[in-house]
Amino acid sequence: MLCSEIIQVIEATYPKDAALDFDNVGLLAGRAGKEVNRVYLALDATDVVIDHAISSGADMLITHHPLIFSPLKSVTDKDFIGKRVVKLIQNDLSYYAMHTNYDVLGMADLAEKILDLKDSEVLDVTMETEDGEEGIGRVGNLEKEMTLEECCLYIKHKLNLGSLKVFGDMKQIVSRLAVSPGSGKTSIVPAIAKGADVLVAGDIGHHDGLDAVEQGLAVINAGHYGTEYIFIEDMKQFFERKMPGVKAIAAPTAHPFQVI
């Protein structure tokens, strides 16, 4: 398939206009008319990821987070982002990013299913569709009440994580959970408004965590990567369903930092 044809299939499910205003999604580098037999799927377009995509014989790289986010005034090998763009183009690797459009129309539902939430609703509504509201995150009920400590173990198991950072009383009973994959900072207010006992997110800082607890909301900080690497396998399955003639290669799970 041509790169442009693959983009058409992707955007039929995850249209660019579902992305938030600040975002930069779509084909960010390379040729739309390139013939694509292999795609490489990853969360971020790091040097390691780009090298793996090239060595695996991929024709197209698709990531969740955009490599090019702020405007570039030049594209040279003197800048670490420009250097990656140069490498992509030199190796004729078309590069596509699907960020908050996937968050709204894919990641939220996926997180809800993985955490097995009941009677769920959109956490932070960003758009209206013919089928109803869509947006960032989900809030719903756990299958049973549990302590915050038990909830942490549950999240670690469901997301296959080695560690978590927690704000709150570990003996607190929780039953209503909000999940906002990625940063999650802006999801604290809607989580409180929708009666959540605990919010699972990726990048909640010290002051925001303390403030959330003061308002009755415990926070489980599962890491930005830890809450979003589920994108990779989900998109691999998307290709297998929608474009079986294109081989989709999933980047191996590689958390960007270690807790010692």
Side-chain angles (χ1 to χ4, degrees):
M1 295 178 71
L2 295 179
C3 174
S4 58
E5 293 172 330
I6 290 174
I7 291 172
Q8 287 179 352
V9 175
I10 291 173
E11 293 181 0
T13 300
Y14 306 107
K16 290 172 63 177
D17 60 10
L20 303 187
D21 292 341
F22 66 82
D23 211 355
N24 187 32
V25 298
L27 185 65
L28 303 188
R31 297 189 293 125
K34 179 178 173 60
E35 184 70 32
V36 175
N37 295 304
R38 291 187 174 197
V39 300
Y40 194 88
L41 303 166
L43 200 67
D44 298 279
T46 62
D47 286 323
V48 170
V49 162
I50 293 172
D51 287 342
H52 283 177
I54 294 168
S55 64
S56 68
D59 307 294
M60 184 176 183
L61 170 63
I62 299 175
T63 67
H64 180 48
H65 297 134
L67 171 62
I68 303 171
F69 201 79
S70 301
L72 299 176
K73 293 185 177 181
S74 63
V75 180
T76 73
D77 62 357
K78 301 296 184 182
D79 171 81
F80 77 100
I81 292 178
K83 185 177 180 180
R84 294 177 199 173
V85 176
V86 169
K87 184 181 291 187
L88 288 167
I89 293 173
Q90 281 181 326
N91 288 275
D92 197 15
L93 189 62
S94 296
Y95 170 56
Y96 185 88
M98 43 191 302
H99 189 208
T100 52
N101 52 330
Y102 177 83
D103 283 335
V104 169
L105 298 174
M107 190 83 80
D109 276 339
L110 182 59
E112 170 197 333
K113 291 174 184 175
I114 290 173
L115 300 184
D116 197 22
L117 298 183
K118 312 297 183 186
D119 303 318
S120 66
E121 60 180 300
V122 176
L123 177 60
D124 188 3
V125 177
T126 61
M127 64 182 294
E128 299 277 350
T129 70
E130 294 179 357
D131 299 323
E133 297 176 333
E134 296 289 355
I136 301 296
R138 291 289 185 270
V139 57
N141 299 322
L142 294 164
E143 188 172 356
K144 63 178 182 178
E145 288 186 347
M146 57 184 75
T147 65
L148 180 57
E149 183 176 9
E150 290 170 334
C151 187
C152 291
L153 295 175
Y154 178 79
I155 297 301
K156 284 178 67 174
H157 170 70
K158 288 291 187 178
L159 293 177
N160 194 26
L161 303 174
S163 62
L164 300 169
K165 180 171 141 183
V166 189
F167 295 91
D169 180 354
M170 298 298 275
K171 295 180 181 179
Q172 173 189 347
I173 299 298
V174 299
S175 62
R176 187 163 173 80
L177 182 144
V179 56
S180 183
S183 176
K185 178 179 177 179
T186 59
S187 294
I188 291 175
V189 171
I192 293 169
K194 294 189 175 180
D197 302 309
V198 57
L199 169 65
V200 178
D203 282 331
I204 305 298
H206 174 79
H207 295 291
D208 293 311
L210 291 179
D211 291 347
V213 171
E214 287 294 327
Q215 297 174 83
L217 179 70
V219 174
I220 296 176
N221 197 346
H224 204 124
Y225 185 93
T227 55
E228 289 196 324
Y229 77 98
I230 54 178
F231 160 85
I232 301 170
E233 181 58 31
D234 187 52
M235 283 306 297
K236 186 174 187 293
Q237 293 177 17
F238 178 88
F239 270 88
E240 290 170 352
R241 291 193 310 271
K242 302 277 190 177
M243 295 169 277
V246 178
K247 182 174 177 58
I249 304 167
T253 301
H255 290 269
F257 66 89
Q258 303 296 321
V259 177
I260 298 176

